Structures are given as structure tokens and as C-alpha cells.
């Protein structure tokens, strides 16, 4: 702490090296050691001023006639106690005391001080005699105060305020309660007035506003009445600005201070900065101009001149500065009433806010992929405290964790800039695809600043756009299996925000699940699986080798939905699923729309016979179910092959030429496997290779006659006693056709899995029981229940457990049972005794008709003979 005496003021300066960023309280200590904490009200009442400068310095000023000064002759001593803490609660605060003594013996009859937070007037106790002519001529202050003085009680101070509405008298104690400071020394009477005092009046003098208090202060001691004119006035404006100059004007003849006086004459005019008076040489070197006219003192100061400083401010969120200079003007004059009056004015001049355009310098290094930007220039009172990306606010010490480096660089004049660095790959730097080989990197952060000591804040957006030729586009590869198309997209470095679409469907995980599409994404690539008959699969053409299908995957920007890339996969699939040639002569044909003619109405598809409409219609296909002997189907024979042909047709209105023609063919090989052929005629006319179909059979052994519990595969071989009943069931699987009927042609048993091995024993022959068996086979009816949807698809029979004999010796080997079956069309009459459900002996069947039918063969698991103990 340093101190200095400045006439009737003293100053204590607290160094920023110790007191910066600390919490402080000030208190005055009187001569008895009593501590008086200084708050804003006490400071203006008792003559204290505390100033905080942005660079950390703190200034404590006191009038030498402040409330708790200790006066011994012409030496004035002020003791101040300062508590310094690191937290607002001031716990564990350190206490420092500073005592300053100043000699001041050059008092003038009247001295006025205009501090920044109070007005002060002190006058000598020897006051001018009241002239009788003043009372006679006009009601001056002295005459008006006289009745109050005469009536005042002994030894009690009173003060009379002269207001436009009349006089107002207050006892000293009441005046002090109202915030006034009154004091007396051996030689002087003092009044101190806050600018906010109720009795303060605003007075215009030559266009300059003054805050003025007109008052008379008096006391009565013994038989004498002492009175003093304690009027005081201080300018509160009078400052004008141009772009480059400050003009401060102070009128000389201020009425509240010159009442009843004449013969004004300047004694001294001095100008200073920061309470230090300047010599004429210093004034000239600092390019100040001081003009002394008859009525006004004018001081002109260049904005930015030495002695002042710039301070950062914020106005409507904008960053700017004000130029601030602390001026002091001492004006001494003399008149015929007071003699010499010394008027000291301390004036903090602050220019209007001026927006400052910050410089942003982009020093991005493309070779090392590093964004580097410098922003400035800032005054020393500004500090960068945080920055905000799109979603996160980060303090400067935390910046490194997010991939940012922040540096502060200071210039010789004390100003500074900030440097921000970040690699291109930092997540908060936005990356956008621009062209085939380029990406745009955008650094978009908002810097947060704080201004000291006011704690004002402001923000500065920083946007740096860099174009780099480093784009890697996504690529794709595809394949197909028997039922699906697959497309794998290998991600590049530009598609992080691209979305996959199939047609207009955004392929989200939920959409993929809804449509039974596969979607697997591991970050570096993703694979899409689309079933062959999915709605978004296109059918391009039909060829003897199959149907050419494809699907397209489109990558769209997630903001604009612009198409960025288009991938596709095409595969050829078998057409077997589109045509079904059943053994009963039923043809099921599905006609599908091909790419390029999707506008066709599938409900208007028909066969050669226009009356034959589709049995099932979807947006993309029409399914026909018809008999080979209907709907204009033609038939031809080639050796043992019987071929049926028909066409699916579509005609546009007013046209005799079909817009769509699909040829479908079924070929039957009598007594052998069904042969299926399917084709389409269009332009050009494609076709499909023949396909084959089959039906599945199952042979079950049940535990009891109710046929409710069958032996499972793990139960074989099954052990049975001799002559114990075996309950067999043969079922046609995978068929929903109620017109099909299963018939047993022959059933027999062997002692090996090979149905053609020997020995053999016939159980059913040509659909009949074996008449040579002493325990003939028993047939059981089949009825509809929860398990059996089509009773005609099953046959049940019962045999007795036996064993093969060799030379009167039982062969205790495993038995296997076999059946040959026939699948019949129950709707068509036939001369075949089996399909007619008749059991006819062999000799009567020699001349039966021969028709195409389906044969099948099934075998049971092993059954072994169990011996009784």
C-alpha cells in the first residue's frame, strides 16, 4: 500500500499484485480505536471515496476533514483498516491497517470540494458581518437565517436549508440522520452533502447543470451567535464529445456560491489528471487545451490522450470501449465578500460507447489439418472464460479435453488476442460433403468473455470455413442367395449424416423390422437384406434362366434430403414360385408387373378367356387359379408328355395389342414326376426353364388306438410283445388343398431299412388287406380335430406284432414297415379303383384304366420284439 497527501485530500493506493481477485472491506478507525465500517452511505457522509480500476489497482481517498480524522494543529491523520479475504463470506480474512498523516496549513476562507460521491464546503469561523443594507434591499440568506440563530438553543447546532418552497431547519443530529456530514474544528465549520440529498437542487448555469445546496449553519455559545454561509455547488455535466475531442466546460460565476458578492477576480486555475496537477509544459505536451474566458473555463482533451485509459463495455450485446480520464480542476477566485475561495472539482469523464470491430485472422494449416484462428484485439480488462459449440459450453481450462488449444498473446501496449487451434477431426467441427473430391470443414464456436471488474459479459461468434480435397465417397457391393438380395455399403468420410432410403422409405431400424428387411450396421459399413418378393424389389425381365430382380438404395442428406448416392443390386431368381402345376390339373399362376410398366392395373389382368379374372390381386401382381381344361387353355401331347398352355393378358383402353402378355406352361409326364414350365411373352419374349414339384409324406407309429400320442424319433427302436397291436398313420404334408386325397397302394414289412430287401411280408396289397394273413390289417377312420385339418390327407391302420421265421425259428430282428401311396384328385371321377376308394382283388384289376397320378413312398422306424419274462 502506498499513500500521498494531495492538499486537502489524501490517497491510499492498494497494489494489484496483492489485492487483485480478493474480496475487500474498508473501515475507518477513530482516535479512540473505534472501528467504523465504511459502506456507500457512510462514505458520502464522512468524506471517503473508493475506486476500483480494471487493472486491479484500488484507490482509497479521504478528505482530511473526514469524520474520523485526528487533528492536531495543521496535521490531519487518517487511519483505515482493510480486511482481505478470498471468499465473499470473508472467513479467515487478513486484516491490514494504514495510517496517513498530512500537513495542510494553507487554508482559504472558503474551500469547496466536488468529489465523485459527495460535495464538501468548509469555511472559517470568522464570518462576514451582516450588512443592514442587504436586509433592506432583498431577503438574503443571512437575514433569513438570523431569526433561527437568535432562537436557537445554547450549544446546539442547527442548519437551515433555503429551498424554493421556503426554509427548512434541522438540528445537527437530524441532519446527520439524513446523511449530511457536519463538523467543526478550532477554525473551520464543515458541511458535507451526498449528491442524493433531499435538499439538493439542480441549477442551470450557462447551460451546465449544478447540484447545489443553499444552507446556513450556526450555533450559539454563551452570549454569541455564530453563523456561516455553507452553500455548495458542483457541476454534474458540462462535457461534450466529438469523434476525437472531449470538451469540459465549467462556468465561473455560480449563483449559489456568489450571493451578495462582487468584484470577482481569478487567482489561480490549475488542471490535473488523477489528482496530480499539470504544469503548462505538461499540458502542452499532452495536447490538452485550457481556455479561461470571463465566464467559463474550458478544457479540451484529445480522446485517447495520455492520462486517460480505455475501458471495455458492452452495449446491447455488442463489444466496444469507452475512453475514461479522471480530471481535476482547481479554480481560485476572490471577491469582496469571501476573500479567496478555492473550488476543487474531481471529474471522471467517460466518452460514449463506441463499437469496436474485432479482427479475425484465419491461419489454418491444411498440410497438418489444423484450424488456427486469432481473434482480437482486446483490452487488458477482457478475459476469455468459455466457448460454446453447437451443444456444449466448455470452460477454457477444459478446452483440451474437447480437442481445442487456446492461447493468449499479449502485445507491448498491454492489449491482447486469443489463438484457438483444433484439428479437423475434432467432433464439434462440422464436416460436409461438397464435390466429388472435397469436403467443407466448419468451425462454429461462440466465445464467451468477461470484463473486469464490472463482470459484464459478451460473446463473439467465430466461424471458419475450410475447403479440403479429402472426400472419400461410400462404395457398395452386393450378392444374392436363393431368397434375398443383399447390398453392403462401405462408408466413406462424407456420409456420416446421410440416410439410407429404398424408394421413398427411410430405412430406419424400425422400418426395416416392419418390412422384414435386414439392416446390420457396424459403423464402418452396413448391409441391407431385402427379400425377393419385398414391395421395393423391381422385376426387370423374365428369361428362361429366371426372373431378373433389383432394388435400389439411395443415400440422402439428412437436412435437405437431396440424393447424394444411388446404389443397386440385380440378381436372377428362379420362377418356380410363380407357377404351380398340381397333379389334379389345377394351374396357379402369378403374373407380376415388370419395371417400366408399373402403371398397369393388375385387377384388369385376365387369361385368354376374358372371363377368367385373377383370384388374388395386389398392387404388383395378379394370381390366377384355374383348371387346365378351362379359360382357353390349350393341350398337346408329345410322347409321354402332356403340355397345357395359357396366357395372362392386359390390354390398354382402345388398343387391340396387349400391353402385357405372359405365357404359362404346365407339362405332365404320365406316371412320373410332375414337370412344370412357366413363361412370359413380351417384347422381347422371355421364357423360364421347367421347374419340378414334390409332396412330403410322414409315417408315424402311435402308442394307442386314440392316435393321440405318437412315438418320437428318440423312442426308436420301439419294443412290442408278440401279437401286440401296432397303430400306424400315414399323412400328406405341406398341402392345403382339400381336394387331394391320400390312398394306400401297398404296405409291407422288412427286417432292414431297405424296402426292397428280403424277407418281406405284405400288410396291404393294392389298397386291400392281405387275405393270406391270419391277423388281417384293420383300417381306422380319420376325423377332423384340432390336429387334423384335412382328414383325406391321412390313412390309419392297425396290425399285430409278429416276427419272421426261418426253419421254425423266430428271427428276433428289428422290423421296418413301408408304404407306397397315391395322391388322388377327389373332385374327378376315375375308373382307378384306388382313387375310387374301392378294394378290388388283383385278378379283377387287370384291365383298369391308366391315368396320370402321383406316387409316394414312406417307411417307419424300427420295431423290435420284446420277450415276456
Amino acid at each position: 500500500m502506498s499513500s500521498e497527501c494531495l492538499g486537502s485530500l489524501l490517497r491510499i493506493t492498494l497494489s494489484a499484485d496483492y489485492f487483485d481477485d480478493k474480496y475487500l472491506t474498508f473501515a475507518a478507525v477513530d482516535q479512540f480505536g473505534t472501528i467504523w465500517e465504511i459502506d456507500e452511505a457512510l462514505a458520502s457522509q464522512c468524506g471517503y471515496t473508493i475506486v476500483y480500476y480494471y487493472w486491479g489497482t484500488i484507490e482509497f481517498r479521504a478528505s482530511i476533514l473526514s469524520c474520523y480524522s485526528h487533528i492536531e494543529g495543521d496535521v490531519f491523520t487518517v487511519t483505515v483498516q482493510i480486511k482481505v479475504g478470498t471468499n465473499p463470506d470473508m472467513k479467515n480474512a487478513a486484516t491490514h491497517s494504514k495510517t496517513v498523516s498530512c500537513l495542510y496549513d494553507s487554508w482559504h476562507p472558503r474551500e469547496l470540494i466536488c468529489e465523485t460521491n459527495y460535495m464538501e464546503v468548509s469555511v472559517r469561523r470568522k464570518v462576514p458581518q451582516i450588512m443592514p443594507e442587504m436586509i433592506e434591499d432583498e431577503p438574503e440568506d443571512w437575514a433569513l437565517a438570523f431569526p433561527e440563530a437568535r432562537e436557537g438553543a445554547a450549544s446546539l447546532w442547527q442548519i437551515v436549508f433555503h429551498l424554493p418552497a421556503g426554509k427548512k431547519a434541522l438540528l445537527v443530529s437530524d441532519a446527520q440522520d439524513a446523511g449530511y456530514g457536519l463538523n467543526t474544528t478550532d477554525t473551520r465549520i464543515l458541511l458535507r452533502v451526498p449528491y442524493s440529498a433531499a435538499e439538493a437542487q439542480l441549477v442551470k448555469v450557462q447551460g451546465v447543470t449544478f447540484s447545489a445546496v443553499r444552507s446556513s449553519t450556526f450555533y450559539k455559545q454563551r452570549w454569541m451567535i455564530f453563523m456561516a454561509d455553507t452553500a455548495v455547488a458542483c457541476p454534474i455535466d458540462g462535457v461534450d464529445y466529438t469523434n476525437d475531442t472531449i470538451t469540459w466546460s465549467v462556468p465561473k460565476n455560480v449563483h449559489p456560491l456568489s450571493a451578495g458578492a462582487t468584484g470577482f477576480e481569478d487567482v489561480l486555475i490549475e488542471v490535473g489528471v488523477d489528482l496530480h496537477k499539470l504544469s503548462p509544459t505538461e499540458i502542452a505536451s499532452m495536447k490538452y487545451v485550457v481556455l479561461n474566458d470571463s465566464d467559463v473555463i474550458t478544457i479540451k482533451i484529445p480522446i485517447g490522450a495520455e492520462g486517460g485509459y480505455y475501458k471495455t463495455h458492452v452495449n446491447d450485446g455488442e463489444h466496444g470501449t469507452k475512453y475514461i480520464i479522471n480530471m481535476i480542476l482547481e479554480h481560485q477566485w476572490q471577491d469582496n465578500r469571501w476573500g479567496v475561495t478555492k473550488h476543487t472539482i474531481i471529474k471522471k469523464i467517460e466518452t460514449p460507447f463506441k463499437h469496436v470491430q474485432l479482427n479475425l485472422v484465419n491461419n489454418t494449416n491444411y498440410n497438418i489439418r489444423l484450424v488456427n484462428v486469432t481473434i482480437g484485439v482486446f483490452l487488458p480488462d477482457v478475459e476469455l472464460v468459455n466457448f460454446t459449440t453447437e451443444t456444449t459450453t466448455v470452460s477454457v481450462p477444459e478446452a483440451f479435453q474437447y480437442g481445442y488449444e487456446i492461447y493468449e498473446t499479449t502485445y507491448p501496449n498491454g492489449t491482447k488476442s486469443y489463438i484457438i487451434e483444433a484439428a479437423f477431426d475434432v467432433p464439434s467441427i462440422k464436416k460436409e460433403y461438397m464435390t466429388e473430391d472435397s469436403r467443407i470443414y466448419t468451425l462454429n464456436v461462440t466465445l464467451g468473455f468477461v470484463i473486469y471488474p464490472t463482470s459484464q459479459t459478451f460473446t463473439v461468434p467465430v466461424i471458419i470455413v475450410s475447403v479440403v480435397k479429402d472426400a472419400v465417397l461410400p462404395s457398395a457391393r452386393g450378392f444374392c442367395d436363393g431368397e434375398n438380395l443383399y447390398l453392403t455399403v462401405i462408408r466413406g468420410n462424407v456420409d456420416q449424416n446421410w440416410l439410407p432410403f429404398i424408394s421413398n422409405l427411410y430405412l430406419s431400424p424400425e422400418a426395416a423390422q416392419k418390412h422384414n428387411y435386414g439392416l446390420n450396421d457396424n459403423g464402418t459399413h452396413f448391409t441391407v437384406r431385402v427379400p425377393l418378393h419385398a414391395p421395393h424389389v423391381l422385376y426387370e425381365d423374365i428369361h428362361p434362366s429366371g426372373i431378373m430382380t433389383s432394388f435400389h438404395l439411395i443415400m440422402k442428406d439428412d437436412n435437405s434430403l437431396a440424393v447424394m448416392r444411388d446404389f443397386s443390386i440385380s440378381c436372377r431368381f428362379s420362377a418356380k414360385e410363380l407357377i404351380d402345376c398340381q397333379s389334379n390339373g389345377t394351374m396357379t399362376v402369378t403374373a407380376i408387373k415388370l419395371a417400366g410398366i408399373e402403371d398397369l392395373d393388375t385387377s384388369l389382368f385376365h387369361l385368354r378367356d376374358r372371363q377368367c379374372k385373377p383370384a388374388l390381386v395386389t398392387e404388383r401382381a395378379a394370381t390366377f387359379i384355374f383348371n387346365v381344361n378351362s379359360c382357353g387353355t390349350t393341350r398337346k401331347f408329345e410322347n409321354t408328355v402332356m403340355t397345357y398352355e395359357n396366357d395372362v393378358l392386359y390390354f390398354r383402353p382402345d388398343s387391340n395389342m396387349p400391353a402385357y402378355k405372359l405365357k404359362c406352361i404346365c407339362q405332365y409326364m404320365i406316371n412320373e414326376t410332375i414337370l412344370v414350365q412357366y413363361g412370359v411373352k413380351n417384347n422381347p419374349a422371355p421364357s423360364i426353364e421347367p421347374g419340378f414339384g414334390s409332396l412330403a409324406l410322414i409315417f408315424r407309429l402311435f402308442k394307442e388306438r386314440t392316435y393321440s400320442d405318437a412315438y418320437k424319433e428318440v423312442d426308436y427302436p420301439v419294443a412290442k410283445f408278440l401279437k401286440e397291436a401296432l397303430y400306424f398313420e400315414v399323412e400328406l404334408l405341406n398341402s392345403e388343398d382339400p381336394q387331394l386325397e391320400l390312398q394306400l397302394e401297398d404296405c409291407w414289412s422288412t427286417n432292414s431299412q431297405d424296402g426292397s430287401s428280403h424277407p418281406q411280408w405284405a400288410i396291404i396289397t393294392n389298397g386291400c388287406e392281405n387275405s393270406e394273413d391270419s391277423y388281417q390289417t384293420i383300417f381306422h377312420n380319420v376325423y377332423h380335430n384340432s390336429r387334423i385339418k384335412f382328414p383325406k390327407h391321412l390313412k390309419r391302420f392297425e396290425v399285430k406284432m409278429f416276427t419272421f421265421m426261418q426253419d421254425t425259428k423266430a428271427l428276433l430282428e428289428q422290423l421296418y414297415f413301408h408304404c407306397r401311396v397315391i395322391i388322388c384328385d377327389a373332385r374327378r371321377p376315375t375308373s382307378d379303383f384306388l382313387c375310387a376308394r374301392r378294394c378290388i382283388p388283383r385278378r379283377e384289376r387287370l384291365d383298369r384304366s391308366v391315368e396320370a397320378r402321383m406316387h409316394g413312398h414312406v417307411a417307419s422306424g424300427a420295431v423290435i420284439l420284446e420277450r415276456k419274462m
Side-chain angles (χ1 to χ4, degrees):
M1 292 184 287
S2 61
S3 62
E4 56 185 329
C5 300
L6 303 165
S8 59
L9 296 171
L10 62 87
R11 175 166 60 187
I12 299 173
T13 302
L14 281 62
S15 171
D17 294 339
Y18 177 75
F19 292 97
D20 193 21
D21 295 329
K22 303 281 196 317
Y23 296 91
L24 305 180
T25 62
F26 290 84
V29 182
D30 64 18
Q31 59 181 326
F32 306 107
T34 304
I35 298 173
W36 304 86
E37 187 169 342
I38 301 173
D39 57 16
E40 186 176 345
L42 184 71
S44 61
Q45 184 180 32
C46 286
Y48 303 115
T49 304
I50 301 171
V51 180
Y52 293 84
Y53 293 100
Y54 77 84
W55 51 82
T57 299
I58 302 167
E59 188 173 281
F60 177 86
R61 297 198 297 261
S63 167
I64 61 173
L65 294 177
S66 58
C67 293
Y68 306 108
S69 296
H70 178 56
I71 304 172
E72 291 185 358
D74 294 326
V75 177
F76 302 83
T77 301
V78 173
T79 300
V80 61
Q81 183 186 84
I82 305 167
K83 287 188 176 182
V84 184
T86 56
N87 296 299
D89 57 15
M90 300 300 288
K91 289 183 178 179
N92 303 317
T95 302
H96 304 274
S97 294
K98 181 70 174 178
T99 299
V100 181
S101 296
C102 293
L103 173 67
Y104 186 66
D105 56 3
S106 57
W107 288 102
H108 297 80
R110 181 171 64 167
E111 294 198 4
L112 302 148
I113 296 177
C114 297
E115 249 290 9
T116 56
N117 60 327
Y118 65 85
M119 302 180 286
E120 180 181 291
V121 56
S122 69
V123 298
R124 285 179 183 168
R125 283 193 179 186
K126 181 181 178 181
V127 295
Q129 181 182 357
I130 299 175
M131 305 301 294
E133 59 270 20
M134 292 179 60
I135 300 176
E136 294 174 0
D137 293 344
E138 52 185 331
E140 288 296 334
D141 292 351
W142 287 104
L144 292 172
F146 185 79
E148 301 291 342
R150 185 178 57 190
E151 297 174 6
S155 301
L156 292 179
W157 281 86
Q158 280 191 338
I159 182 168
V160 177
F161 295 100
H162 304 277
L163 305 173
K167 296 180 295 180
K168 180 179 179 181
L170 293 176
L171 294 176
V172 170
S173 59
D174 294 333
Q176 288 175 336
D177 290 342
Y180 290 95
L182 294 102
N183 199 2
T184 180
T185 69
D186 292 342
T187 59
R188 304 191 72 80
I189 296 171
L190 174 138
L191 172 67
R192 191 175 295 109
V193 183
Y195 283 101
S196 60
E199 288 71 32
Q201 303 170 57
L202 298 181
V203 179
K204 283 280 188 180
V205 181
Q206 298 183 41
V208 177
T209 304
F210 279 76
S211 177
V213 173
R214 296 183 61 199
S215 64
S216 299
T217 303
F218 59 92
Y219 69 95
K220 184 166 58 175
Q221 182 175 347
R222 296 196 177 187
W223 309 110
M224 300 184 67
I225 297 173
F226 290 89
M227 296 176 295
D229 181 354
T230 49
V232 63
C234 291
I236 59 175
D237 58 18
V239 180
D240 294 314
Y241 309 92
T242 63
N243 288 336
D244 53 9
T245 304
I246 300 169
T247 302
W248 180 25
S249 301
V250 181
K252 291 182 179 180
N253 188 5
V254 181
H255 177 67
L257 304 180
S258 60
T262 59
F264 291 96
E265 183 179 342
D266 290 330
V267 175
L268 179 67
I269 295 176
E270 288 186 304
V271 173
V273 176
D274 291 332
L275 301 183
H276 289 287
K277 296 172 185 176
L278 301 175
S279 67
T281 302
E282 290 173 323
I283 291 174
S285 67
M286 297 168 72
K287 298 183 180 180
Y288 296 0
V289 176
V290 180
L291 302 176
N292 182 20
D293 296 332
S294 59
D295 297 325
V296 64
I297 301 170
T298 303
I299 304 169
K300 294 186 177 183
I301 308 153
I303 294 177
E306 181 185 351
Y309 60 92
Y310 282 98
K311 179 78 178 71
T312 307
H313 286 265
V314 177
N315 184 30
D316 292 334
E318 286 193 340
H319 161 265
T321 61
K322 294 180 180 181
Y323 175 73
I324 300 171
I325 188 167
N326 295 308
M327 298 295 298
I328 182 172
L329 170 64
E330 182 179 306
H331 178 207
Q332 297 182 23
W333 74 87
Q334 65 181 3
D335 56 47
N336 66 338
R337 184 178 180 201
W338 285 99
V340 177
T341 296
K342 176 183 174 183
H343 195 185
T344 302
I345 302 171
I346 299 172
K347 183 73 173 179
K348 179 182 179 181
I349 298 176
E350 190 173 278
T351 62
F353 175 86
K354 183 178 181 181
H355 173 69
V356 174
Q357 183 66 44
L358 295 170
N359 295 323
L360 194 140
V361 181
N362 182 6
N363 296 311
T364 296
N365 190 325
Y366 292 91
N367 293 329
I368 61 174
R369 299 175 60 80
L370 184 71
V371 178
N372 178 295
V373 58
T374 300
I375 184 167
V377 176
F378 298 100
L379 294 175
D381 60 342
V382 172
E383 182 178 348
L384 175 63
V385 292
N386 61 50
F387 68 91
T388 302
T389 62
E390 187 175 8
T391 58
T392 307
T393 298
V394 179
S395 67
V396 170
E398 296 173 325
F400 181 77
Q401 302 174 25
Y402 292 82
Y404 289 82
E405 294 278 0
I406 297 178
Y407 308 96
E408 179 183 304
T409 178
T410 305
Y411 304 110
N413 63 356
T415 60
K416 58 186 175 182
S417 296
Y418 288 94
I419 300 172
I420 301 162
E421 288 185 346
F424 282 171
D425 298 328
V426 167
S428 58
I429 293 183
K430 187 176 181 180
K431 304 156 187 72
E432 296 176 284
Y433 173 54
M434 182 179 177
T435 60
E436 280 295 318
D437 61 351
S438 299
R439 284 195 293 175
I440 298 176
Y441 292 82
T442 303
L443 170 69
N444 187 350
V445 297
T446 301
L447 305 180
F449 296 88
V450 65
I451 303 170
Y452 295 109
T454 61
S455 297
Q456 279 186 300
T457 60
F458 65 95
T459 59
V460 178
V462 175
I463 301 176
I464 299 296
V465 178
S466 305
V467 179
V468 184
K469 292 185 176 182
D470 66 349
V472 178
L473 297 176
S475 58
R477 61 175 183 264
F479 66 94
C480 300
D481 59 18
E483 299 178 348
N484 303 279
L485 296 91
Y486 296 84
L487 193 63
T488 297
V489 177
I490 299 92
R491 294 189 182 276
N493 60 11
V494 299
D495 55 317
Q496 293 84 357
N497 298 318
W498 293 1
L499 302 176
F501 278 77
I502 299 180
S503 185
N504 291 322
L505 172 69
Y506 166 46
L507 194 61
S508 64
E510 295 77 16
Q513 184 178 12
K514 177 181 178 181
H515 289 81
N516 194 29
Y517 295 169
L519 180 61
N520 296 310
D521 192 342
N522 69 356
T524 61
H525 63 275
F526 66 92
T527 300
V528 180
R529 175 189 57 79
V530 179
L532 168 61
H533 298 299
H536 298 97
V537 172
L538 301 177
Y539 302 104
E540 296 181 352
D541 67 51
I542 301 177
H543 189 268
S545 59
I547 303 173
M548 179 61 73
T549 62
S550 67
F551 89 89
H552 292 255
L553 182 70
I554 301 170
M555 303 295 289
K556 295 185 179 182
D557 181 81
D558 63 342
N559 290 322
S560 65
L561 294 183
V563 175
M564 309 305 293
R565 295 287 281 176
D566 186 351
F567 302 110
S568 65
I569 174 67
S570 297
C571 294
R572 194 170 295 278
F573 289 87
S574 170
K576 290 190 295 184
E577 295 184 6
L578 301 181
I579 186 167
D580 182 18
C581 302
Q582 301 178 18
S583 60
N584 61 4
T586 299
M587 292 178 65
T588 301
V589 177
T590 299
I592 55 177
K593 287 196 284 189
L594 299 179
I597 52 173
E598 291 92 344
D599 61 331
L600 302 185
D601 184 353
T602 56
S603 66
L604 300 180
F605 283 17
H606 56 80
L607 298 175
R608 290 174 181 172
D609 183 347
R610 290 177 177 262
Q611 300 304 314
C612 292
K613 304 294 185 181
L616 177 65
V617 174
T618 66
E619 183 181 354
R620 308 180 68 210
T623 299
F624 295 85
I625 302 174
F626 58 97
N627 191 274
V628 295
N629 295 320
S630 63
C631 296
T633 306
T634 60
R635 179 179 62 186
K636 62 181 179 180
F637 292 92
E638 296 179 3
N639 298 324
T640 60
V641 178
M642 184 167 53
T643 301
Y644 294 91
E645 292 187 8
N646 208 324
D647 296 314
V648 177
L649 302 166
Y650 175 83
F651 293 88
R652 296 189 186 278
D654 304 323
S655 176
N656 294 324
M657 293 294 294
Y660 182 91
K661 183 176 181 180
L662 180 71
K663 179 174 288 295
C664 45
I665 301 172
C666 279
Q667 294 178 332
Y668 293 87
M669 300 182 68
I670 300 173
N671 289 331
E672 294 188 13
T673 305
I674 298 173
L675 180 65
V676 178
Q677 185 172 345
Y678 175 76
V680 60
K681 282 190 176 180
N682 208 329
N683 189 19
S687 61
I688 294 180
E689 290 184 347
F692 299 89
S694 64
L695 296 173
L697 300 170
I698 188 170
F699 199 175
R700 298 188 185 96
L701 175 61
F702 283 80
K703 297 179 181 179
E704 53 188 14
R705 187 170 183 175
T706 59
Y707 286 88
S708 59
D709 188 9
Y711 287 102
K712 298 179 177 60
E713 185 175 349
V714 296
D715 296 331
Y716 290 92
V718 176
K720 293 290 184 178
F721 294 108
L722 189 64
K723 298 183 181 181
E724 185 178 353
L726 303 176
Y727 301 100
F728 288 105
E729 177 184 271
V730 182
E731 182 181 1
L732 172 64
L733 300 178
N734 305 329
S735 175
E736 296 288 320
D737 188 350
Q739 304 302 326
L740 295 183
E741 183 171 4
L742 181 145
Q743 297 291 351
L744 299 176
E745 183 176 12
D746 297 298
C747 293
W748 68 99
S749 66
T750 65
N751 59 5
S752 72
Q753 289 181 308
D754 184 1
S756 61
S757 64
H758 292 275
Q760 294 184 359
W761 182 255
I763 299 170
I764 297 173
T765 304
N766 295 316
C768 300
E769 304 90 337
N770 184 2
S771 58
E772 299 177 3
D773 196 339
S774 57
Y775 295 98
Q776 291 191 354
T777 301
I778 301 172
F779 291 99
H780 295 291
N781 294 327
V782 182
Y783 301 99
H784 184 280
N785 58 32
S786 60
R787 183 175 71 86
I788 300 173
K789 186 176 180 181
F790 303 107
K792 293 181 181 179
H793 292 184
L794 293 90
K795 283 294 182 286
R796 290 172 175 171
F797 61 91
E798 172 188 341
V799 298
K800 303 297 183 181
M801 181 62 183
F802 67 94
T803 183
F804 288 103
M805 303 293 292
Q806 185 177 9
D807 300 329
T808 70
K809 182 180 179 181
L811 300 178
L812 300 178
E813 298 177 345
Q814 298 181 111
L815 294 182
Y816 293 86
F817 292 83
H818 309 267
C819 283
R820 184 182 296 110
V821 302
I822 298 176
I823 308 301
C824 301
D825 184 352
R827 296 174 297 181
R828 298 183 59 190
T830 176
S831 58
D832 191 320
F833 72 94
L834 287 172
C835 289
R837 308 183 189 91
R838 298 195 305 272
C839 179
I840 302 175
R842 179 182 296 273
R843 63 179 178 274
E844 299 180 15
R845 295 185 286 108
L846 297 178
D847 297 325
R848 64 181 174 87
S849 63
V850 178
E851 296 186 4
R853 59 190 181 181
M854 297 178 64
H855 295 266
H857 174 269
V858 290
S860 75
V863 183
I864 61 175
L865 182 65
E866 185 174 358
R867 293 184 175 182
K868 292 184 179 180
M869 301 302 294

